[in-house]
Each structure stands twice: as C-alpha cells, then as structure tokens.
Amino acid sequence: MENPTTYDIAWLPGDGIGPEVTREALRVLDAVASAHDFAFTAEEYLMGGAALDETGTPFPNETRAACQESDAVLLGAVGGPKWDDNTGEKRPESGLLALRKALGVYANLRPVLVPETLASASPLRPDRVGGTDILFVRELTGGIYFGTPEGRTDDGARSTMVYSEAEIERIAHVAFQRAQRRHGHVTSVDKANVLEVSELWREVVTRVSEEQYPDVELRHLYVDNAAMQVVRDPQQFDVVLTGNLFGDILSDLAAALPGSLGLLPSASVGGTVGLFEPVHGSAPDIAGQDVANPIGTILSAALLLDELGEHEAADAVRHAVDATLEAGFRTADLAVGDEEAVSTSTFGREVATRAADPVPQNAPTP
Ligand code: NAD
C-alpha cells in the first residue's frame, strides 16, 4: 500500500488559552486524518509572549524558518497582561505582523456562522440570525493601512487608500473561487459613490466576474448599506469581498452575531504557506482552566484542510462541530439557563469522535 500524504504543520500554541484550544484542534485533525487516509506532523514552536520570555523576541528565527518550510501554520493566540507594558518589537502582537509578512499572505478569510442550535445566544433575534453563514474575504496587505503618502503634515494628517488593479484582481479571484465551493454568490463592498479607489475596485471586480466567473452571481453594496444589512438580515450573504479597511470593520461587526468570540475561525492565505488561527485573543481571564471554547480553532483547522485540498476531511470537521452542538455539548461561554458546561478538552474529544465518522449523505453543507 502507498504511504499516505503527510502534511507538516507548524504548531504555534502562543499564550493564554492558545495551547488549550490548539491542542483540541490537533486532536480533531488526528481523528479526521486517519479516517481520510492522510497523515500529518505537528511540531511545536515558540511564538508571542512565550517566545519573548525564552528568546527575547516574539517571533524567533527558528519559528520563522519552520513556518516557511511547513505546509500550514496553526496558531493559538498571543499576548497577555505580563507583556502589556512592552513596546514596539517587544510586544507579543508585533510577532503576528512579522509572521504574516514572512508568509506573504494577502487574503484573510473570516467565516461567520450562527448554527440554528446557537441562535438563542446571539444578541439579535434568533429567527433573523439562525443559519447565518457568511465568508468574509478581506484584502490584507493593501489599502489605507499601507498607502502613501501618510503621516502628519504642517497643519493636519493624511492617510491614503491605494489599490492597484493587480491587488484587486487577486483578491477577487479568491472570493469567486470560494463562492464556487459554497452557494455561488459574491457581495463586493466598496464606497464607489465617493472614493475613486472604490470606483476602480468595482470596475475590476466586475471585469473578473464577467470574464472568468459567469457561474457566480455578483452584486455590489456600498459599505454603509452593507453594515446595515449585516445586522438587519445576515442570512442574505454568502461570500463578502472587501478591501482592508472595510473588511476589518465589517468582519468585527459580524463577529458579534454568534454571541461568543470563541466560535470564530480565520485563515490568512495567498502566500507560500497559509496561517490558521481563531479570531479571539489569548483570553488571560480564563487561561489554564480548561474552560475555553475550542470551536474557533477547530474550525480554523477545517479551513487549513480546505487549503490543503482535503475538502472531505474539512467538511467532516465542520459537520462534527455541528453534531456535537446538536448533541447538546456546550462550553461555558455558550451554556445558557440550566445547560451544563463541559470543559475544553471534553468538547474537543466529542468533536474528534464525530470527525472520524463519515459525513451523512444528506447532511447540509456546513
Ligand atoms: P480576547 O479575545 O482574548 O478576550 C475577550 C473576551 O472573550 C474575554 O472575556 C475572554 O475570556 C473571551 N474569550 C475569548 N476567546 C474565548 C474562547 N475561546 N472561549 C471562551 N471565551 C473566550 O481579547 P482581549 O481580552 O482584548 O485580549 C487578551 C490578550 O489577547 C491581549 O494581550 C491582546 O493583545 C491579545 N490578542 C491577541 C490576538 C491574537 O493573538 N490574534 C487577538 C486579539 C487579542
């Protein structure tokens, strides 16, 4: 028998709850790998505050080299009160920017899912929000955060929103290709009624759509309307394509929909190696107690599998998370009323058990 494909994962647990939640994601990967005929290695490397304490830098060269040579990077979270007074390159979070740069990632993927089982935990009305499944595709390396000229002038300050056609095209491809694997709909967000750079954004996205993705439905929304629609009727969205600034704000707005930060995964892709991490931080208030919600990290591992082309395994992981919630398991952040909360590790084990099962034929696409 042929040896199974083996993927090398650089595992960066980081600080606070990072080690706890990434451990559960690896447990689930382990279960799903053996059921889908591939294997992986997960070598642990220092990152963030843990790396600062040991080596004096939040992103040591050894970690950089290992990430660049890996097939994918799984990160927990970095930072915490111990390093809050650090400045500049001694801040744990500065290591994150260096990591993204080292990998050359330019597309940030942020799925926002509100399973029907958790709709009552949302700050919005359950009937409005249950079943929401949005994928934000945000451009990560251009736009107003990096445009020049910028800085103070004699009598004020300026920041410049800049996008080249090539930058818009490559992120548009990411959005259309994701939509092809989902529900075939892209909403591109801009401010083309005011900003010239948004006029170009709209032109280029429309051209890419017409020339290469006639099977995907495209619509354009102004960012102010998009913000209102995300709150009013989030179920209308499939893939939302945005530049850096608008994506930053809209994806955080949408992150409030599920009612817990612990549920949200993310991926940064497009470079040599992808980076997969939950949206939340290191949650020092609950670290070390085995109570954190591992779902965001487990779903980040599903995005990792998608990126490696292991789509069936990725769907199995998403399905296992849904099935575990449907079976009534809740971590403390999700338990309402008299629901009993289970630990991080119990939840992870429950998902791992279900991830090894075949996905039922009639299961809805998660
Ligand atoms: P946070 O996301 O760590 O926590 C905010 C709140 O959400 C806390 O009450 C926390 O207990 C809760 N929470 C977060 N994740 C959870 C989970 N998986 N399960 C259950 N509850 C969860 O944000 P913060 O408190 O503003 O930041 C804490 C530290 O994390 C800071 O040092 C910050 O700089 C850092 N941070 C790191 C990242 C990252 O590594 N990508 C992102 C954001 C913040």
Side-chain angles (χ1 to χ4, degrees), residues 59-76:
F59 185 42
N61 287 336
E62 192 198 358
T63 302
R64 175 193 303 268
C67 291
Q68 287 172 329
E69 282 158 24
S70 71
D71 292 309
V73 179
L74 180 69
L75 171 73

Side-chain angles (χ1 to χ4, degrees), residues 17 77-80 93 96 261-262 277 280-286 292-293 333:
I17 60 171
V78 299
E93 294 81 355
L96 281 182
L261 259 183
E277 55 180 324
H280 61 72
S282 61
D285 51 332
I286 56 168
N293 185 342
D333 54 316

Side-chain angles (χ1 to χ4, degrees), residues 16-292:
I17 60 171
E20 299 164 55
V21 290
T22 48
R23 212 175 290 133
E24 297 316 314
L26 290 176
R27 191 200 300 275
V28 173
L29 280 177
D30 226 358
V32 84
S34 42
H36 287 82
D37 293 331
F38 62 89
F40 72 93
T41 65
E43 289 282 334
E44 182 177 347
Y45 295 94
L46 289 167
M47 182 75 191
L52 264 171
D53 286 355
E54 193 114 339
T55 69
T57 163
F59 185 42
N61 287 336
E62 192 198 358
T63 302
R64 175 193 303 268
C67 291
Q68 287 172 329
E69 282 158 24
S70 71
D71 292 309
V73 179
L74 180 69
L75 171 73
V78 299
K82 184 174 175 191
W83 308 281
D84 270 356
D85 294 335
N86 289 16
T87 54
E89 288 177 7
K90 294 286 178 190
R91 283 191 59 75
E93 294 81 355
S94 74
L96 281 182
L97 295 179
L99 170 61
R100 288 182 189 135
K101 205 165 169 197
L103 300 179
V105 291
Y106 63 81
N108 186 226
L109 310 180
R110 292 254 308 243
V112 174
L113 282 131
V114 187
E116 297 286 355
T117 41
L118 295 182
S120 60
S122 171
L124 299 190
R125 271 181 22 207
D127 59 312
R128 288 283 170 96
V129 81
T132 292
D133 178 3
I134 312 176
L135 176 65
F136 286 90
V137 176
R138 167 189 169 197
E139 202 287 328
L140 204 55
T141 58
I144 199 165
Y145 295 162
F146 299 97
T148 54
E150 55 95 31
R152 294 293 172 101
T153 60
D154 287 344
D155 58 355
R158 61 189 166 180
S159 301
T160 311
M161 190 183 278
V162 185
Y163 269 117
S164 68
E165 291 198 23
E167 281 175 315
I168 302 168
E169 266 175 29
R170 68 180 186 177
I171 194 74
H173 283 295
V174 175
F176 286 119
Q177 285 164 16
R178 296 281 160 169
Q180 283 177 324
R181 270 196 39 74
R182 291 170 49 98
H183 306 291
H185 195 287
V186 169
T187 303
S188 175
V189 173
D190 60 41
K191 189 69 184 167
N193 49 345
V194 178
L195 302 175
E196 226 158 308
V197 64
S198 278
E199 265 179 44
L200 178 72
W201 179 278
R202 194 172 276 224
E203 259 171 53
V204 173
V205 171
T206 304
R207 189 179 69 226
V208 171
S209 154
E210 286 170 354
E211 288 176 359
Q212 295 186 54
Y213 303 96
D215 53 327
V216 177
E217 208 180 311
L218 170 68
R219 72 168 170 165
H220 302 276
L221 281 187
Y222 297 135
V223 62
D224 38 358
N225 186 16
M228 192 173 70
Q229 297 299 332
V230 165
V231 175
R232 203 185 62 80
D233 179 19
Q235 294 156 337
Q236 69 182 282
F237 294 101
D238 179 19
V239 174
V240 176
L241 165 63
T242 75
N244 207 343
L245 172 67
F246 300 154
D248 190 1
I249 299 167
L250 284 183
S251 60
D252 264 20
L253 173 71
L257 299 180
S260 170
L261 259 183
L263 290 165
L264 296 159
S266 84
S268 300
V269 298
T272 45
V273 176
L275 169 64
F276 304 86
E277 55 180 324
V279 166
H280 61 72
S282 61
D285 51 332
I286 56 168
Q289 299 170 30
D290 199 20
V291 297

